[in-house]
Amino acid sequence: MLQVKKCMLEPPIQTIHIELTNRCNAKCPQCTRTIIGIENFIDLPLEYIQTAVDSKYTDLKNLVYCGNYGDPLMSPYFMDIVESIRIPTEVHTNGSIRSESDWRKLGSLEHLTVRFHIDGDEENNKIYRVGTVYEKILRNAFEFIGAGGKAIWVFIPFKHNIDSMNNLTKLAKNMGFQDFEIRDSYRVGGGIEPVEMKPVVKRDKCKLEESEVYISTEGRVYPCCWTGSEDYKEVYRPESFDARIESFIDGIEYDRTCFRKCGR
């Protein structure tokens, strides 16, 4: 039997991870949206984000636009959001979205860092990032970096792409990426098999204890994106953001996801 523990949030919140949309242009194998599909598209508008940013419980140092289902650049509100809220911001994307002019505009935003998730070269990136266009990804990254943008190349090693990693590391450096980051994946099947590059490190602290929370595209507020894929009690809209945060201050019990993902 798992020992029940509690995690408590001590405001102010310094980082919010936000899923701006459940739309995505890719069909990555084993992604939840690929397996079960998405019936209704949802996009969080600027005012929802601003409510959380302006909360009495926040003193934000960072915003992270990521997600369990969607790519943030697919949001119709994306450009307005990143141009309006000038807090240091990190964006996770497959990069095969939007026009070159949009990417040049994004590159001019000093508060922005973009993590391009590119898992191979022209031949093998599409095996996992199904539906993306490699040439478009590199062209967008080139425009972004050329306009002054801070970019990081994120790479998941699989058996089908591991031989290309050294060349991609060199390409990333030549293009002006600030770093080449390797991330492990638990996803298998659909013709993919991950390669474990390093042992999984269990977290010492819950995200809440590090003053971070996650908002899903439905407007629910969770301790992190891992618990964001669970049915986590009620639906909380950002206008109820403070009430949800108050429940975290009182403390929450770790659930099965916490033990599985973070060894809590």
Side-chain angles (χ1 to χ4, degrees):
M1 178 179 292
L2 295 176
Q3 181 181 1
V4 176
K5 298 181 180 179
K6 270 200 167 186
C7 176
M8 295 184 180
L9 169 69
E10 293 187 10
I13 297 164
Q14 297 186 19
T15 300
I16 301 180
H17 301 251
I18 305 175
E19 183 171 41
L20 295 180
T21 182
N22 62 1
R23 303 173 191 265
C24 191
N25 61 320
K27 295 181 180 179
C28 302
Q30 302 305 311
C31 175
T32 304
R33 75 185 320 280
T34 303
I35 297 171
I36 65 175
I38 299 292
E39 293 184 359
N40 300 306
F41 293 123
I42 307 173
D43 309 291
L44 286 181
L46 173 59
E47 53 265 34
Y48 276 21
I49 313 303
Q50 196 67 59
T51 300
V53 170
D54 293 339
S55 167
K56 64 182 179 181
Y57 292 117
T58 61
D59 181 17
L60 289 181
K61 302 295 187 292
N62 298 285
L63 280 172
V64 181
Y65 297 131
C66 53
N68 289 330
Y69 302 101
D71 190 301
L73 277 90
M74 289 291 290
S75 167
Y77 310 119
F78 177 76
M79 298 300 290
D80 285 343
I81 290 171
V82 294
E83 289 183 291
S84 298
I85 302 177
R86 297 295 180 115
I87 295 168
T89 298
E90 183 178 291
V91 177
H92 292 251
T93 179
N94 61 54
S96 185
I97 308 168
R98 293 192 172 268
S99 66
E100 294 178 32
S101 62
D102 278 348
W103 281 101
R104 286 192 292 272
K105 186 180 295 184
L106 292 172
S108 69
L109 301 178
E110 294 183 359
H111 66 289
L112 205 64
T113 299
V114 174
R115 277 182 150 80
F116 288 82
H117 291 251
I118 311 172
D119 302 315
D121 54 26
E122 186 172 8
E123 293 302 316
N124 55 43
N125 181 64
K126 59 189 176 185
I127 295 175
Y128 181 64
R129 300 288 170 182
V130 178
T132 64
V133 180
Y134 192 74
E135 181 182 354
K136 181 176 177 64
I137 296 168
L138 294 191
R139 191 166 61 244
N140 287 341
F142 176 83
E143 295 295 339
F144 176 74
I145 294 170
K150 299 181 288 292
I152 295 172
W153 187 309
V154 181
F155 178 84
I156 300 176
F158 297 104
K159 288 193 174 180
H160 67 260
N161 68 6
I162 190 66
D163 290 340
S164 64
M165 188 172 71
N166 287 338
N167 287 337
L168 294 175
T169 303
K170 296 175 184 177
L171 174 61
K173 183 177 181 180
N174 290 337
M175 288 185 64
F177 280 85
Q178 294 188 342
D179 197 7
F180 188 92
E181 183 178 290
I182 299 172
R183 291 195 176 185
D184 290 333
S185 174
Y186 61 90
R187 290 176 178 168
V188 296
I192 61 171
E193 187 174 348
V195 175
E196 187 173 308
M197 301 295 291
K198 54 186 180 299
V200 176
V201 178
K202 300 299 183 182
R203 298 182 61 85
D204 293 329
K205 292 183 177 182
C206 173
K207 287 281 190 178
L208 284 181
E209 295 171 321
E210 295 178 342
S211 302
E212 300 185 24
V213 295
Y214 170 76
I215 301 177
S216 75
T217 191
E218 298 89 357
R220 298 185 180 100
V221 186
Y222 300 93
C224 70
C225 65
W226 290 117
T227 55
S229 60
E230 305 289 328
D231 182 15
Y232 208 83
K233 300 181 182 179
E234 303 174 48
V235 174
Y236 285 83
R237 291 294 179 182
E239 57 262 30
S240 302
F241 183 82
D242 285 357
R244 183 58 162 160
I245 297 307
E246 286 163 4
S247 73
F248 290 160
I249 294 172
D250 292 336
I252 61 166
E253 293 181 356
Y254 296 148
D255 63 15
R256 286 173 295 180
T257 300
C258 302
F259 286 96
R260 187 170 68 249
K261 299 298 183 184
C262 296
R264 302 311 307 275

